[in-house]
C-alpha cells in the first residue's frame, strides 16, 4: 500500500519561507512522478509543481515559478517543496500526490492524473 505523509506547514508572514516535506512509503516510486497541489478555502485544488523520481524533471505553475522549488531525495523517498517569498494568496492546504501511471507524460495539472494523495498540511501566510 502506498502512503504519503506531508509535514512542514504552519503560519508565516508574507515574504517568509517554509519547506514542506512529503514522505512516501509502500511500492516503488522510481518510475512515477510526484506533485504538490494546494486548495484554498472555497476554491478548487490546483497544481503547484511536479517532479519525476527518476531524472528529477520539474514543472511549475506560473503562480509559483521563481518562488517555489520542488526537489526529491531518492534515498529517503521524500519530496520537498521549498517556498520562498510567500504571499497571502499562497494560503492553502498543500497536498502531495503520485501519478497513477508510471513514465507519465500527460497533463500534470489534472487531479485525475494522480491516484495517491496525502492528508495535507496547512500553510497560512499573514499580510
Amino acid at each position: 500500500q502506498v502512503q504519503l505523509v506531508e509535514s512542514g506547514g504552519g503560519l508565516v508572514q508574507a515574504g517568509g519561507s517554509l519547506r514542506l516535506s512529503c514522505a512516501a512509503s509502500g511500492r516503488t516510486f522510481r518510475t512515477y512522478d510526484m506533485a504538490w497541489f494546494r486548495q484554498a478555502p472555497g476554491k478548487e485544488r490546483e497544481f503547484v509543481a511536479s517532479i519525476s523520481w527518476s531524472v528529477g524533471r520539474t514543472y511549475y505553475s506560473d503562480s509559483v515559478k521563481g518562488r517555489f522549488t520542488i526537489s526529491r531525495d531518492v534515498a529517503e523517498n521524500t519530496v520537498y517543496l521549498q517556498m520562498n517569498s510567500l504571499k497571502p494568496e499562497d494560503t492553502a492546504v498543500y497536498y502531495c500526490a503520485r501519478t497513477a501511471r508510471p513514465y507519465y507524460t500527460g497533463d500534470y495539472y489534472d487531479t485525475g492524473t494522480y491516484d495517491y494523495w496525502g492528508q495535507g498540511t496547512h500553510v497560512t501566510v499573514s499580510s
Side-chain angles (χ1 to χ4, degrees):
Q1 182 69 314
V2 173
Q3 189 174 19
L4 304 175
V5 180
E6 302 99 331
S7 61
L11 173 64
V12 63
Q13 288 189 330
S17 298
L18 280 175
R19 189 176 82 155
L20 306 183
S21 299
C22 172
S25 61
R27 294 173 57 188
T28 179
F29 286 77
R30 300 296 181 263
T31 57
Y32 292 81
D33 288 48
M34 300 291 293
W36 287 96
F37 280 73
R38 66 186 182 186
Q39 188 166 19
K43 294 188 177 182
E44 293 186 353
R45 193 169 297 191
E46 65 170 354
F47 173 84
V48 174
S50 67
I51 188 167
S52 63
W53 276 109
S54 56
V55 298
R57 179 191 65 243
T58 59
Y59 295 103
Y60 296 92
S61 68
D62 288 342
S63 61
V64 306
K65 199 172 295 182
R67 300 188 297 124
F68 291 10
T69 302
I70 189 171
S71 62
R72 89 277 192 232
D73 184 325
V74 175
E76 294 295 325
N77 263 5
T78 301
V79 177
Y80 301 99
L81 186 68
Q82 178 66 43
M83 306 187 295
N84 298 329
S85 301
L86 282 161
K87 305 175 182 180
E89 51 264 45
D90 294 318
T91 295
V93 179
Y94 283 72
Y95 300 89
C96 69
R98 194 201 75 170
T99 53
R101 288 182 287 162
Y103 307 110
Y104 187 75
T105 58
D107 183 1
Y108 290 94
Y109 286 68
D110 184 357
T111 57
T113 295
Y114 305 88
D115 59 351
Y116 288 102
W117 295 83
Q119 82 290 348
T121 185
H122 290 256
V123 172
T124 302
V125 184
S126 63
S127 57

